[in-house]
């Protein structure tokens, strides 16, 4: 039986990927952020999961604004790196896990989540930056990945409650898979940031801290936050945080927060990395 052993909440700021790719992580600006990633890398290398499910949003890289799935799952054997305007990031292509991905697609759709299925799809910084943050710069990624995309680009995105329920359905599906796999799930994006308009540059440490606390201790209450509150408190792009509810919904009610890192600024955002373990399952 497969099982989800841990969840990772991780910002996917594109500039973090650029700093890794250009080797500027030791500059005064970036050092404090990257120093906080080291314990997470050590933890993940020790955990050595068999597969990762990465919940992220495509930024009009694979999916133009002509077609916008609310929820999508990638079932390919390999996902190429998207060209986001400056050429693809110099990182390995992402290996998929078609057996588990197809099982998830079938289970989720029969569980009444109407997933779009991607047989081919390039993956952008939303997925590759969290991989780089937690795995460094390996020649090949240490585990296969199942991409799960959530629309947070075009209104209306799904609610936090719906995302949490998707996470619960993912956990049920994983537990019905007949291979003995240890699975880690990432929720990416956030935290507070606004990239446009009069409030560009908005950061809200109080909101972010309360969100991190709630994610560990009272995630169901946290799912009730409406879109308007994300917009007001965490900025227009802060609504990416709904994707963290998918990760949290896939974990048990009781989790152990094993690591938290929060840093401002990372480009125009508040960046965070938090690790939650399902108690007794690693
Ligand atoms: Fe994003």
């Amino acid at each position: 039986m497969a099982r989800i052993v841990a969840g990772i909440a991780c910002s996917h700021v594109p500039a973090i990927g650029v700093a890794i790719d250009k080797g500027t992580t030791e500059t005064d600006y970036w050092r404090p952020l990257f120093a906080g990633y080291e314990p997470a890398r050590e933890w993940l290398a020790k955990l050595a999961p068999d597969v990762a499910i990465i919940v992220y949003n495509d930024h009009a890289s694979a999916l133009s604004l002509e077609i916008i799935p609310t929820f999508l799952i990638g079932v390919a054997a390999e996902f190429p790196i998207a060209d986001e305007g400056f050429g693809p990031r110099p990182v390995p292509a992402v290996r998929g896990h078609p057996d588990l991905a197809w099982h998830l697609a079938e289970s989720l759709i029969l569980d009444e989540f109407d997933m779009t299925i991607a047989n081919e799809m390039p993956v952008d910084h939303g997925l590759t930056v969290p991989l780089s943050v937690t795995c460094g710069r390996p020649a090949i990624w240490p585990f296969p990945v199942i991409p799960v995309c959530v629309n947070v680009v075009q209104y209306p995105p799904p609610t936090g409650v719906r995302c949490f329920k998707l996470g619960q359905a993912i956990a049920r599906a994983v537990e019905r898979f007949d291979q003995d796999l240890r699975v880690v799930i990432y929720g990416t994006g956030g935290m507070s940031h606004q990239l446009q308009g009069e409030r560009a540059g908005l950061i809200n440490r109080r909101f972010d801290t309360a969100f991190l606390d709630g994610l560990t201790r009272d995630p169901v209450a946290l799912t009730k936050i409406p879109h308007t509150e994300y917009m007001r408190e965490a900025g227009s792009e802060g609504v990416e945080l709904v994707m963290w509810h998918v990760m949290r919904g896939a974990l048990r009610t009781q989790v152990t927060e094993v690591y938290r890192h929060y840093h401002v600024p990372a480009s125009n955002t508040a960046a965070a990395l938090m690790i939650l373990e399902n108690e007794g399952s690693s």
Side-chain angles (χ1 to χ4, degrees), residues 43-64:
W43 170 87
L44 187 60
K46 196 167 159 201
L47 185 73
D50 298 302
V51 58
I53 298 168
I54 300 188
V55 181
Y56 77 109
N57 68 288
D58 178 81
H59 302 75
S61 303
L63 308 165
S64 73

PDB file of all heavy atoms in Angstrom, residues 43-64:
ATOM      1  N   TRP A  43      16.644  17.111   5.466  1.00  0.00           N
ATOM      2  CA  TRP A  43      15.487  16.321   5.892  1.00  0.00           C
ATOM      3  C   TRP A  43      14.945  15.487   4.729  1.00  0.00           C
ATOM      4  O   TRP A  43      14.674  14.295   4.868  1.00  0.00           O
ATOM      5  CB  TRP A  43      14.400  17.267   6.423  1.00  0.00           C
ATOM      6  CG  TRP A  43      13.088  16.597   6.660  1.00  0.00           C
ATOM      7  CD1 TRP A  43      12.672  15.940   7.780  1.00  0.00           C
ATOM      8  CD2 TRP A  43      12.001  16.508   5.715  1.00  0.00           C
ATOM      9  NE1 TRP A  43      11.396  15.451   7.599  1.00  0.00           N
ATOM     10  CE2 TRP A  43      10.963  15.780   6.349  1.00  0.00           C
ATOM     11  CE3 TRP A  43      11.805  16.976   4.417  1.00  0.00           C
ATOM     12  CZ2 TRP A  43       9.748  15.516   5.716  1.00  0.00           C
ATOM     13  CZ3 TRP A  43      10.607  16.704   3.781  1.00  0.00           C
ATOM     14  CH2 TRP A  43       9.595  15.976   4.427  1.00  0.00           C
ATOM     15  N   LEU A  44      14.823  16.102   3.547  1.00  0.00           N
ATOM     16  CA  LEU A  44      14.239  15.396   2.403  1.00  0.00           C
ATOM     17  C   LEU A  44      15.175  14.294   1.906  1.00  0.00           C
ATOM     18  O   LEU A  44      14.717  13.205   1.542  1.00  0.00           O
ATOM     19  CB  LEU A  44      13.928  16.381   1.276  1.00  0.00           C
ATOM     20  CG  LEU A  44      13.168  15.793   0.080  1.00  0.00           C
ATOM     21  CD1 LEU A  44      11.810  15.215   0.505  1.00  0.00           C
ATOM     22  CD2 LEU A  44      12.967  16.855  -1.006  1.00  0.00           C
ATOM     23  N   ALA A  45      16.475  14.564   1.888  1.00  0.00           N
ATOM     24  CA  ALA A  45      17.429  13.533   1.456  1.00  0.00           C
ATOM     25  C   ALA A  45      17.363  12.322   2.386  1.00  0.00           C
ATOM     26  O   ALA A  45      17.438  11.172   1.944  1.00  0.00           O
ATOM     27  CB  ALA A  45      18.841  14.112   1.439  1.00  0.00           C
ATOM     28  N   LYS A  46      17.193  12.580   3.665  1.00  0.00           N
ATOM     29  CA  LYS A  46      17.084  11.485   4.635  1.00  0.00           C
ATOM     30  C   LYS A  46      15.758  10.736   4.476  1.00  0.00           C
ATOM     31  O   LYS A  46      15.697   9.514   4.569  1.00  0.00           O
ATOM     32  CB  LYS A  46      17.196  12.071   6.051  1.00  0.00           C
ATOM     33  CG  LYS A  46      17.481  11.062   7.108  1.00  0.00           C
ATOM     34  CD  LYS A  46      17.878  11.768   8.400  1.00  0.00           C
ATOM     35  CE  LYS A  46      17.648  10.822   9.561  1.00  0.00           C
ATOM     36  NZ  LYS A  46      17.528  11.502  10.827  1.00  0.00           N
ATOM     37  N   LEU A  47      14.688  11.486   4.214  1.00  0.00           N
ATOM     38  CA  LEU A  47      13.371  10.855   4.033  1.00  0.00           C
ATOM     39  C   LEU A  47      13.365   9.971   2.784  1.00  0.00           C
ATOM     40  O   LEU A  47      12.761   8.900   2.781  1.00  0.00           O
ATOM     41  CB  LEU A  47      12.296  11.938   3.901  1.00  0.00           C
ATOM     42  CG  LEU A  47      10.852  11.448   3.824  1.00  0.00           C
ATOM     43  CD1 LEU A  47      10.371  10.945   5.184  1.00  0.00           C
ATOM     44  CD2 LEU A  47       9.935  12.548   3.299  1.00  0.00           C
ATOM     45  N   ALA A  48      14.038  10.434   1.718  1.00  0.00           N
ATOM     46  CA  ALA A  48      14.144   9.690   0.450  1.00  0.00           C
ATOM     47  C   ALA A  48      12.797   9.122  -0.007  1.00  0.00           C
ATOM     48  O   ALA A  48      12.622   7.902  -0.102  1.00  0.00           O
ATOM     49  CB  ALA A  48      15.183   8.568   0.582  1.00  0.00           C
ATOM     50  N   PRO A  49      11.839   9.989  -0.320  1.00  0.00           N
ATOM     51  CA  PRO A  49      10.530   9.487  -0.762  1.00  0.00           C
ATOM     52  C   PRO A  49      10.644   8.770  -2.105  1.00  0.00           C
ATOM     53  O   PRO A  49      11.576   9.011  -2.878  1.00  0.00           O
ATOM     54  CB  PRO A  49       9.687  10.774  -0.887  1.00  0.00           C
ATOM     55  CG  PRO A  49      10.686  11.859  -1.122  1.00  0.00           C
ATOM     56  CD  PRO A  49      11.921  11.457  -0.358  1.00  0.00           C
ATOM     57  N   ASP A  50       9.684   7.902  -2.389  1.00  0.00           N
ATOM     58  CA  ASP A  50       9.673   7.179  -3.662  1.00  0.00           C
ATOM     59  C   ASP A  50       9.085   8.016  -4.785  1.00  0.00           C
ATOM     60  O   ASP A  50       9.391   7.795  -5.962  1.00  0.00           O
ATOM     61  CB  ASP A  50       8.855   5.888  -3.521  1.00  0.00           C
ATOM     62  CG  ASP A  50       9.462   4.954  -2.493  1.00  0.00           C
ATOM     63  OD1 ASP A  50      10.640   4.591  -2.671  1.00  0.00           O
ATOM     64  OD2 ASP A  50       8.778   4.618  -1.510  1.00  0.00           O
ATOM     65  N   VAL A  51       8.201   8.927  -4.443  1.00  0.00           N
ATOM     66  CA  VAL A  51       7.533   9.758  -5.457  1.00  0.00           C
ATOM     67  C   VAL A  51       7.012  11.024  -4.777  1.00  0.00           C
ATOM     68  O   VAL A  51       6.747  11.015  -3.569  1.00  0.00           O
ATOM     69  CB  VAL A  51       6.393   8.966  -6.150  1.00  0.00           C
ATOM     70  CG1 VAL A  51       5.381   8.481  -5.151  1.00  0.00           C
ATOM     71  CG2 VAL A  51       5.729   9.762  -7.255  1.00  0.00           C
ATOM     72  N   ALA A  52       6.909  12.098  -5.555  1.00  0.00           N
ATOM     73  CA  ALA A  52       6.344  13.350  -5.035  1.00  0.00           C
ATOM     74  C   ALA A  52       5.154  13.766  -5.881  1.00  0.00           C
ATOM     75  O   ALA A  52       5.178  13.625  -7.112  1.00  0.00           O
ATOM     76  CB  ALA A  52       7.399  14.455  -5.039  1.00  0.00           C
ATOM     77  N   ILE A  53       4.124  14.256  -5.219  1.00  0.00           N
ATOM     78  CA  ILE A  53       3.016  14.923  -5.899  1.00  0.00           C
ATOM     79  C   ILE A  53       3.234  16.413  -5.666  1.00  0.00           C
ATOM     80  O   ILE A  53       3.351  16.850  -4.512  1.00  0.00           O
ATOM     81  CB  ILE A  53       1.661  14.475  -5.306  1.00  0.00           C
ATOM     82  CG1 ILE A  53       1.464  12.974  -5.512  1.00  0.00           C
ATOM     83  CG2 ILE A  53       0.513  15.275  -5.915  1.00  0.00           C
ATOM     84  CD1 ILE A  53       0.295  12.391  -4.707  1.00  0.00           C
ATOM     85  N   ILE A  54       3.353  17.183  -6.746  1.00  0.00           N
ATOM     86  CA  ILE A  54       3.622  18.614  -6.583  1.00  0.00           C
ATOM     87  C   ILE A  54       2.417  19.412  -7.077  1.00  0.00           C
ATOM     88  O   ILE A  54       2.078  19.381  -8.270  1.00  0.00           O
ATOM     89  CB  ILE A  54       4.911  19.045  -7.310  1.00  0.00           C
ATOM     90  CG1 ILE A  54       6.109  18.268  -6.741  1.00  0.00           C
ATOM     91  CG2 ILE A  54       5.118  20.558  -7.166  1.00  0.00           C
ATOM     92  CD1 ILE A  54       7.474  18.722  -7.239  1.00  0.00           C
ATOM     93  N   VAL A  55       1.776  20.091  -6.151  1.00  0.00           N
ATOM     94  CA  VAL A  55       0.609  20.915  -6.450  1.00  0.00           C
ATOM     95  C   VAL A  55       1.107  22.330  -6.724  1.00  0.00           C
ATOM     96  O   VAL A  55       1.757  22.937  -5.867  1.00  0.00           O
ATOM     97  CB  VAL A  55      -0.386  20.908  -5.270  1.00  0.00           C
ATOM     98  CG1 VAL A  55      -1.613  21.749  -5.616  1.00  0.00           C
ATOM     99  CG2 VAL A  55      -0.776  19.473  -4.909  1.00  0.00           C
ATOM    100  N   TYR A  56       0.841  22.822  -7.914  1.00  0.00           N
ATOM    101  CA  TYR A  56       1.359  24.129  -8.305  1.00  0.00           C
ATOM    102  C   TYR A  56       0.430  24.733  -9.336  1.00  0.00           C
ATOM    103  O   TYR A  56      -0.552  24.115  -9.749  1.00  0.00           O
ATOM    104  CB  TYR A  56       2.783  23.989  -8.876  1.00  0.00           C
ATOM    105  CG  TYR A  56       2.839  23.457 -10.294  1.00  0.00           C
ATOM    106  CD1 TYR A  56       3.191  24.292 -11.353  1.00  0.00           C
ATOM    107  CD2 TYR A  56       2.513  22.127 -10.582  1.00  0.00           C
ATOM    108  CE1 TYR A  56       3.233  23.814 -12.657  1.00  0.00           C
ATOM    109  CE2 TYR A  56       2.556  21.653 -11.876  1.00  0.00           C
ATOM    110  CZ  TYR A  56       2.913  22.501 -12.915  1.00  0.00           C
ATOM    111  OH  TYR A  56       2.935  22.023 -14.197  1.00  0.00           O
ATOM    112  N   ASN A  57       0.737  25.960  -9.752  1.00  0.00           N
ATOM    113  CA  ASN A  57      -0.017  26.534 -10.857  1.00  0.00           C
ATOM    114  C   ASN A  57       0.898  26.822 -12.023  1.00  0.00           C
ATOM    115  O   ASN A  57       2.033  27.262 -11.847  1.00  0.00           O
ATOM    116  CB  ASN A  57      -0.764  27.808 -10.443  1.00  0.00           C
ATOM    117  CG  ASN A  57       0.167  28.964 -10.139  1.00  0.00           C
ATOM    118  OD1 ASN A  57       0.843  28.956  -9.116  1.00  0.00           O
ATOM    119  ND2 ASN A  57       0.209  29.951 -11.008  1.00  0.00           N
ATOM    120  N   ASP A  58       0.388  26.542 -13.203  1.00  0.00           N
ATOM    121  CA  ASP A  58       1.074  26.912 -14.434  1.00  0.00           C
ATOM    122  C   ASP A  58       0.851  28.415 -14.663  1.00  0.00           C
ATOM    123  O   ASP A  58      -0.231  28.935 -14.422  1.00  0.00           O
ATOM    124  CB  ASP A  58       0.488  26.107 -15.590  1.00  0.00           C
ATOM    125  CG  ASP A  58       1.109  26.465 -16.917  1.00  0.00           C
ATOM    126  OD1 ASP A  58       2.201  25.956 -17.203  1.00  0.00           O
ATOM    127  OD2 ASP A  58       0.505  27.283 -17.659  1.00  0.00           O
ATOM    128  N   HIS A  59       1.915  29.093 -15.112  1.00  0.00           N
ATOM    129  CA  HIS A  59       1.838  30.552 -15.294  1.00  0.00           C
ATOM    130  C   HIS A  59       1.752  30.877 -16.785  1.00  0.00           C
ATOM    131  O   HIS A  59       2.608  31.564 -17.330  1.00  0.00           O
ATOM    132  CB  HIS A  59       3.050  31.221 -14.662  1.00  0.00           C
ATOM    133  CG  HIS A  59       3.201  30.941 -13.195  1.00  0.00           C
ATOM    134  ND1 HIS A  59       3.649  29.731 -12.708  1.00  0.00           N
ATOM    135  CD2 HIS A  59       2.946  31.695 -12.105  1.00  0.00           C
ATOM    136  CE1 HIS A  59       3.662  29.761 -11.385  1.00  0.00           C
ATOM    137  NE2 HIS A  59       3.247  30.932 -10.996  1.00  0.00           N
ATOM    138  N   ALA A  60       0.721  30.339 -17.437  1.00  0.00           N
ATOM    139  CA  ALA A  60       0.513  30.533 -18.875  1.00  0.00           C
ATOM    140  C   ALA A  60       1.721  30.037 -19.672  1.00  0.00           C
ATOM    141  O   ALA A  60       2.070  30.598 -20.709  1.00  0.00           O
ATOM    142  CB  ALA A  60       0.183  31.993 -19.209  1.00  0.00           C
ATOM    143  N   SER A  61       2.392  28.978 -19.156  1.00  0.00           N
ATOM    144  CA  SER A  61       3.527  28.369 -19.855  1.00  0.00           C
ATOM    145  C   SER A  61       3.055  27.185 -20.695  1.00  0.00           C
ATOM    146  O   SER A  61       3.258  27.151 -21.908  1.00  0.00           O
ATOM    147  CB  SER A  61       4.572  27.889 -18.842  1.00  0.00           C
ATOM    148  OG  SER A  61       5.005  28.953 -18.025  1.00  0.00           O
ATOM    149  N   ALA A  62       2.436  26.214 -20.045  1.00  0.00           N
ATOM    150  CA  ALA A  62       1.893  25.065 -20.762  1.00  0.00           C
ATOM    151  C   ALA A  62       0.446  25.318 -21.163  1.00  0.00           C
ATOM    152  O   ALA A  62      -0.028  24.808 -22.167  1.00  0.00           O
ATOM    153  CB  ALA A  62       1.972  23.814 -19.887  1.00  0.00           C
ATOM    154  N   LEU A  63      -0.241  26.093 -20.344  1.00  0.00           N
ATOM    155  CA  LEU A  63      -1.667  26.320 -20.532  1.00  0.00           C
ATOM    156  C   LEU A  63      -1.878  27.801 -20.811  1.00  0.00           C
ATOM    157  O   LEU A  63      -1.698  28.627 -19.929  1.00  0.00           O
ATOM    158  CB  LEU A  63      -2.436  25.920 -19.269  1.00  0.00           C
ATOM    159  CG  LEU A  63      -2.131  24.504 -18.756  1.00  0.00           C
ATOM    160  CD1 LEU A  63      -2.629  24.336 -17.334  1.00  0.00           C
ATOM    161  CD2 LEU A  63      -2.759  23.480 -19.679  1.00  0.00           C
ATOM    162  N   SER A  64      -2.238  28.131 -22.034  1.00  0.00           N
ATOM    163  CA  SER A  64      -2.497  29.534 -22.336  1.00  0.00           C
ATOM    164  C   SER A  64      -3.826  29.929 -21.706  1.00  0.00           C
ATOM    165  O   SER A  64      -4.570  29.098 -21.189  1.00  0.00           O
ATOM    166  CB  SER A  64      -2.572  29.738 -23.847  1.00  0.00           C
ATOM    167  OG  SER A  64      -3.786  29.198 -24.324  1.00  0.00           O
TER     168      SER A  64
END
